[in-house]
Amino acid sequence: MLNLKKQKPLSKIIYFLFLLLILSGCWDQTKIDERAYVIAIGLDKGDNENQIKITYLITNPELSKQEGGSSNEPPREIITFQTNDLISAKDMANTVVAKEITYSQLGVFLVSEELAKDKDLIRWMYDATKDREIKRSTRFIVTKENASDS
């Protein structure tokens, strides 16, 4: 009889620890409509020598899931800004866009011909390889005009 009383609290503790482990997997979950998906990045030469001009084409997934409903947000958004590197560009864009920016749907880099001829392009693109969200299969397209105009 004494042994059964010790087993009940122990089984309850094990049960609650098991529940805690299962529920802890969802603590950092982000909904689809709380993210801003960058589908294209345009790169141009910046005004300063050590800067580049980055243009993001951001899509709004909220519109595709609402059939017949209206939304305040446009289906896509284009933002352009100057930065020192590609890694800090995401943080700068998050100050302007209310949603969390992600590169998981990034499909193309558009690079102006002027920047493509620059010897520092390799340095800029090396920064892109450090970001784990940018896939190696992302297309790289060089345009004659500025990438922000494409």
Side-chain angles (χ1 to χ4, degrees):
M1 182 115 175
L2 186 61
N3 194 11
L4 286 175
K5 288 183 179 179
K6 286 184 180 179
Q7 285 182 350
K8 270 192 171 180
L10 182 62
S11 65
K12 286 182 181 179
I13 290 173
I14 291 172
Y15 176 72
F16 285 121
L17 285 175
F18 180 71
L19 279 177
L20 183 67
L21 287 174
I22 290 174
L23 294 176
S24 67
C26 301
W27 70 274
D28 64 343
Q29 184 178 3
T30 307
K31 295 179 185 175
I32 290 176
D33 58 345
E34 293 175 353
R35 290 188 175 180
Y37 293 94
V38 177
I39 56 174
I41 296 178
L43 301 173
D44 294 312
K45 251 189 164 175
D47 296 335
N48 298 337
E49 186 176 325
N50 292 330
Q51 288 190 331
I52 56 173
K53 190 188 310 182
I54 295 183
T55 303
Y56 282 163
L57 175 59
I58 301 172
T59 187
N60 182 11
E62 186 177 358
L63 289 177
S64 62
K65 74 173 188 174
Q66 293 179 352
E67 295 180 13
S70 62
S71 177
N72 304 6
E73 300 179 24
R76 64 184 167 274
E77 185 177 355
I78 299 173
I79 59 171
T80 302
F81 52 92
Q82 292 209 19
T83 184
N84 294 328
D85 58 7
L86 285 171
I87 295 173
S88 65
K90 187 193 261 186
D91 296 330
M92 288 180 70
N94 272 326
T95 61
V96 177
V97 179
K99 298 178 180 183
E100 177 187 347
I101 294 207
T102 181
Y103 294 146
S104 64
Q105 299 298 315
L106 181 64
V108 65
F109 275 103
L110 294 170
V111 180
S112 67
E113 187 176 17
E114 181 183 9
L115 182 62
K117 290 179 181 179
D118 192 356
K119 63 180 172 57
D120 288 334
L121 177 66
I122 293 174
R123 180 174 59 98
W124 300 116
M125 294 315 296
Y126 179 70
D127 288 343
T129 62
K130 292 179 185 176
D131 195 330
R132 59 187 166 143
E133 279 190 286
I134 298 176
K135 298 179 262 318
R136 303 240 185 231
S137 62
T138 305
R139 291 177 181 87
F140 187 86
I141 299 174
V142 178
T143 63
K144 286 193 179 260
E145 64 274 350
N146 285 336
S148 59
D149 298 336
S150 298

